[in-house]
């Protein structure tokens, strides 16, 4: 399994300190760089990478280290410098070298190492015969196995996050028409951004269970390695089976509120992105987002101006971002900004977690819909509830799908469909008109998030709205 080790330090590791840490393998090992110096690699004498170290990140968002690494007595909160080392899976000494690198950084700069048992300052001699180790087929440090079909990433951390390592691997694999398949033990969970990234076929989350073999962590399908990729194992009738380990967990009363919305804006120089997300967050939690970034960990304090500037520099290519909330209330969102012929579109999914004794604020959804429709160019919004973990992580077990609560059409969408058509669906469903009387948005109440038949209502409604 891959060994990921993180040094959390109060001071920024400079180049001299990083190089001193990389001498954990002694003077015979070499150092090289990737990605214009953003990744430093400790290499065997023949140049094979043993440990890859990403450029340090200053985490300025409260609670982010605990969200991703779990609580710990020695785990520092922000601001803190996060320096992540990823060891090669092909060399036995890789994990110890990464641990010694991180331990040396914290010895010089203070701070702590995660996981704490990995820390050391030992010199780790390279005893593996690297001439017998295959040369990596991929230059991306996140990829452990590369075939013509698939880039395999092996992870052994409790929570797989959407790191820049993984973001780069997904981008490269997509460009080469390859799948990304993450292999983990059954004790691992995913963050919501990681799950979102893996939803597109043929990407997979592969669970390696010592008792049940391989299965898909999101669908439960039994898998096997065939033709250079993990694929469902079919029986004699050509049907896939579900792993016995993929069973529902006990209902703890925890729930998630999911708000999925799309906005459209004129592409002018005064446009500021992120305001729809900020309004949604503030309405549902009483506070704006705490931070944002293009990967996890989330390191930047929330700023609509900064994320707008980033999207402008990347246009006309799309920009994908993550935002998180304050530690007292679990909330996380993904935001995709796309330039289209109609303007600039934002696709937003915000998920909030609630404990058994907490009540999701469903009474705020209609006022939120009105604010988004009248002030932020809302096109559509769907809200739903699901039984799932308050901490918003994804376990490799069956989880019930979300149940729709409301659906909202913005005024432009209503105009395109026709007001009479949109406000008279063939259902016992009368929408609420929001905003201007002549060009209203329409808000449909589908249920309270407990009746699965709300899906049938939503399907009949959307079918009616498309029949123009």
């Amino acid at each position: 399994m891959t060994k990921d080790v993180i040094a959390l330090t109060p001071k920024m590791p400079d180049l001299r300190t990083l190089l001193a840490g990389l001498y954990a393998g002694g003077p015979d090992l070499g150092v090289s760089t990737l990605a214009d110096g953003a990744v430093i690699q400790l290499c065997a004498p023949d140049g094979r990478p043993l440990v890859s170290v990403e450029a340090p990140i200053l985490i300025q968002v409260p609670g982010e280290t605990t969200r991703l690494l779990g609580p710990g007595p020695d785990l520092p909160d922000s601001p803190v410098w996060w320096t992540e080392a990823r060891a090669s899976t092909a060399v036995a000494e890789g994990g110890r070298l990464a641990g010694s690198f991180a331990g040396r950084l914290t010895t010089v700069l203070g701070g702590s190492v995660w996981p704490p048992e990995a820390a050391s300052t030992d010199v780790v001699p390279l005893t593996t015969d690297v001439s017998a180790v295959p040369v990596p087929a991929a230059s991306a440090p996140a990829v452990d196995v590369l075939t013509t079909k698939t880039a395999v990433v092996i992870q052994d951390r409790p929570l797989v996050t959407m790191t820049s390592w993984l973001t780069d691997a997904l981008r490269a694999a997509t460009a080469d028409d390859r799948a990304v398949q993450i292999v983990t033990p059954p004790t691992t969970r995913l963050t919501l951004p990681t799950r979102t990234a893996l939803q597109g076929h043929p990407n997979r989350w592969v669970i390696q269970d010592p008792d049940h073999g391989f299965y898909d962590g999101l669908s439960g399908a039994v898998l096997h390695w065939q033709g250079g990729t993990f694929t469902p194992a079919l029986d004699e009738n050509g049907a896939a089976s579900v792993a016995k380990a993929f069973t529902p967990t006990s209902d703890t009363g925890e729930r998630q509120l999911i708000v999925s919305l799309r906005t459209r804006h004129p592409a002018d120089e005064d446009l500021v992105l992120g305001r729809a997300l900020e309004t949604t967050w503030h309405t549902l939690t009483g506070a704006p987002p705490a931070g944002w970034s293009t990967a996890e960990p989330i390191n930047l304090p929330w700023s609509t101006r900064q994320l707008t500037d980033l999207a402008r520099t990347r246009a006309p290519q799309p920009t994908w971002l993550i935002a998180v909330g304050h530690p007292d209330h679990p909330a996380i969102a993904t935001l995709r900004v796309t330039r289209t012929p109609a303007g600039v579109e934002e696709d937003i999914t915000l998920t909030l977690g609630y404990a058994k004794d907490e009540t999701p604020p469903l009474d705020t959804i209609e006022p939120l819909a009105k604010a988004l429709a009248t002030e932020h160019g809302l096109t559509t919004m769907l809200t739903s509830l699901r039984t799932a973990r308050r901490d918003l992580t994804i376990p490799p077990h069956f989880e019930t799908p979300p149940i729709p609560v409301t659906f909202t059409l913005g005024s432009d969408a209503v105009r395109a469909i026709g007001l009479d058509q949109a406000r008279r669906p063939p259902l016992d469903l009368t929408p609420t008109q929001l905003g201007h009387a002549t060009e209203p948005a329409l808000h449909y109440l589908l249920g309270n998030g407990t009746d699965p038949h709300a899906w049938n209502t939503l399907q009949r409604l959307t079918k009616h709205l498309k029949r123009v």
Side-chain angles (χ1 to χ4, degrees):
M1 282 291 194
T2 298
K3 299 296 183 182
D4 297 331
V5 184
I6 301 164
L8 301 164
T9 59
K11 300 178 182 178
M12 177 181 177
D14 57 19
L15 182 58
R16 180 177 297 180
T17 306
L18 291 171
L19 291 174
L22 287 169
Y23 275 111
D28 295 334
L29 302 184
V31 175
S32 64
T33 61
L34 289 175
D36 297 325
V39 177
I40 302 175
Q41 291 187 317
L42 175 65
C43 302
D46 67 350
R48 298 167 201 249
L50 304 174
V51 176
S52 300
V53 179
E54 197 168 33
I57 302 171
L58 177 60
I59 307 299
Q60 304 175 68
V61 179
E64 188 65 357
T65 54
T66 300
R67 181 178 76 87
L68 299 183
L69 303 179
D74 299 322
L75 198 64
D77 200 356
S78 65
V80 65
W81 287 92
W82 175 300
T83 307
E84 186 158 345
R86 181 177 174 83
S88 168
T89 56
V91 179
E93 294 84 5
R96 292 173 57 209
L97 284 167
S100 183
F101 162 80
R104 289 167 179 241
L105 252 62
T106 56
T107 297
V108 174
L109 302 172
S112 59
V113 172
W114 183 93
E117 65 271 14
S120 80
T121 56
D122 298 339
V123 174
V124 183
L126 183 61
T127 59
T128 299
D129 181 6
V130 294
S131 64
V133 177
V135 177
S139 60
V143 176
D144 297 286
V145 178
L146 189 69
T147 72
T148 56
K149 296 181 179 179
T150 304
V152 178
V153 178
I154 302 173
Q155 293 273 268
D156 66 349
R157 56 206 294 174
L159 187 64
V160 177
T161 63
M162 197 61 194
T163 62
S164 57
W165 307 97
L166 189 52
T167 300
D168 291 342
L170 280 161
R171 186 183 299 115
T174 300
D176 294 337
D177 198 26
R178 287 188 174 97
V180 169
Q181 297 182 341
I182 301 177
V183 181
T184 76
T187 53
T188 293
R189 291 168 286 118
L190 305 182
T191 63
L192 276 169
T194 306
R195 178 188 180 179
T196 300
L198 291 179
Q199 282 179 334
H201 180 78
N203 298 332
R204 287 190 186 277
W205 177 22
V206 181
I207 304 301
Q208 185 177 11
D209 192 304
D211 299 320
H212 301 278
F214 295 100
Y215 66 93
D216 190 299
L218 298 178
S219 71
V222 175
L223 304 174
H224 64 165
W225 180 260
Q226 185 179 51
T229 191
F230 284 101
T231 187
L234 306 179
D235 60 21
E236 62 274 9
N237 298 318
S241 58
V242 176
K244 293 180 180 179
F246 194 75
T247 55
T249 55
S250 58
D251 185 358
T252 62
E254 295 173 288
R255 286 178 291 176
Q256 295 175 4
L257 175 63
I258 305 166
V259 182
S260 300
L261 62 103
R262 173 173 289 185
T263 66
R264 183 182 297 135
H265 315 278
D268 59 49
E269 61 182 13
D270 296 325
L271 174 63
V272 178
L273 298 167
R275 287 179 172 171
L277 176 59
E278 185 175 80
T279 295
T280 304
W281 215 299
H282 203 285
T283 300
L284 296 175
T285 71
W292 73 284
S293 185
T294 57
E296 293 175 302
I298 307 302
N299 62 315
L300 299 172
W302 176 251
S303 168
T304 55
R305 175 54 63 186
Q306 288 183 0
L307 69 86
T308 300
D309 290 344
L310 176 65
R312 287 186 189 279
T313 62
R314 293 187 172 185
Q317 297 300 314
T319 296
W320 187 79
L321 307 169
I322 309 169
V324 295
H326 296 272
D328 58 340
H329 194 122
I332 191 165
T334 57
L335 184 154
R336 182 178 175 87
V337 179
T338 310
R339 182 70 167 91
T340 70
V344 179
E345 295 187 357
E346 297 174 290
D347 285 290
I348 299 167
T349 299
L350 169 62
T351 305
L352 306 101
Y354 298 89
K356 182 178 181 179
D357 58 350
E358 296 175 315
T359 302
L362 299 185
D363 58 334
T364 66
I365 299 300
E366 184 177 316
L368 169 63
K370 182 178 180 179
L372 292 173
T374 57
E375 301 173 22
H376 299 290
L378 179 69
T379 302
T380 60
M381 181 174 75
L382 175 67
T383 64
S384 54
L385 273 174
R386 68 180 303 182
T387 299
R389 295 172 62 108
R390 182 182 187 269
D391 66 8
L392 308 180
T393 62
I394 313 301
H397 301 290
F398 174 80
E399 290 189 312
T400 55
I403 298 175
V405 176
T406 68
F407 179 70
T408 308
L409 279 176
S411 57
D412 287 347
V414 171
R415 186 186 313 114
I417 294 168
L419 179 57
D420 287 342
Q421 173 88 2
R423 68 182 177 184
R424 290 188 175 90
L427 299 160
D428 185 16
L429 194 66
T430 302
T432 301
Q433 295 192 181
L434 306 175
H436 303 291
T438 57
E439 293 189 339
L442 295 179
H443 182 69
Y444 305 84
L445 179 61
L446 306 175
N448 60 5
T450 61
D451 184 1
H453 288 96
W455 276 115
N456 296 331
T457 303
L458 177 61
Q459 289 171 354
R460 292 178 63 189
L461 173 62
T462 54
K463 183 178 181 180
H464 169 76
L465 294 175
K466 291 178 181 178
R467 193 185 299 120
V468 180

